Amino acid sequence: MPNDHLVTLRRRVDAHFADAVERDPDAFRCASGCAQCCHRRFDVFEVEAQPIRAALVVMAREDPALRQTVRDQARAPEHAHHCALLVKDRCSVYEQRPLICRSHGLPVAVPEEDELPVSWRELNYPGGDPPRESILLVEAINAPLAVLTELDAPAAPRVSLADLAGSV
């Protein structure tokens, strides 16, 4: 079961995403089955790895074939170009997906000195700049996640989602 504070942080990111889509639905080309942002491999903090591990255990019990597919993809070199948890362009642990995945598609900003550069996927907001209130400040996720990590598993190394998918 995920940490209660992690669940709260996830809900806030999900709500920010939902608000951005509601504010400007035509700007979002991301939809169910879109997996462009998932064509990378990611690491997560242990606090986010724990609920994914639990989801994989449930998957092994409820859908052993899917679990084996995820395990095989994690180990197969030909699948190294995308997240090992991605099966047929869908996240196999969607409800427990990490924060980085929950923020994909949003315009994000990382402060640099006196500037606030904003970036976003070309797929979304093709007509121009996103509204300020739709921009997710990356620090708004990273700071509380760092605190949760320090409280939950101090000094624990980051966990590769591919390693996680290939085990358990």
Side-chain angles (χ1 to χ4, degrees):
M1 203 62 180
N3 173 302
D4 289 342
H5 298 292
L6 178 61
V7 170
T8 299
L9 186 55
R10 286 175 173 177
R11 284 185 185 141
R12 289 182 176 165
V13 171
D14 291 348
H16 185 86
F17 197 106
D19 290 347
V21 171
E22 185 176 314
R23 188 176 297 112
D24 198 356
D26 294 334
F28 281 85
R29 304 290 189 262
C30 301
S32 180
C34 176
Q36 288 184 18
C37 294
C38 307
H39 287 247
R40 296 184 58 203
R41 290 281 171 115
F42 298 99
D43 295 344
V44 296
F45 289 110
E46 180 60 33
V47 70
E48 287 192 286
Q50 292 168 8
I52 295 169
R53 267 192 209 94
L56 291 170
V57 168
V58 170
M59 183 190 299
R61 184 176 60 246
E62 295 179 0
D63 192 343
L66 177 59
R67 180 64 188 102
Q68 189 58 50
T69 297
V70 168
R71 193 177 286 115
D72 292 346
Q73 286 185 170
R75 298 174 180 156
E78 63 270 19
H79 289 282
H81 67 282
H82 66 71
C83 179
L85 298 169
L86 186 68
V87 178
K88 296 180 183 174
D89 285 336
R90 300 216 182 259
C91 179
S92 61
V93 295
Y94 188 79
E95 291 303 315
Q96 301 303 332
R97 71 196 184 282
L99 286 161
I100 187 153
C101 302
R102 290 167 189 271
S103 65
H104 281 314
L106 284 169
V108 296
V110 179
E112 293 177 4
E113 295 181 25
D114 293 334
E115 295 182 31
L116 189 64
V118 177
S119 62
W120 62 91
R121 297 274 307 155
E122 293 175 11
L123 184 66
N124 296 335
Y125 298 103
D129 293 347
R132 171 67 183 99
E133 54 275 0
S134 294
I135 298 168
L136 180 66
L137 297 173
V138 173
E139 191 58 26
I141 296 174
N142 288 346
L145 187 55
V147 171
L148 291 177
T149 297
E150 202 49 40
L151 293 172
D152 187 70
R158 289 180 63 90
V159 179
S160 157
L161 288 179
D163 291 347
L164 193 60
S167 64
V168 181

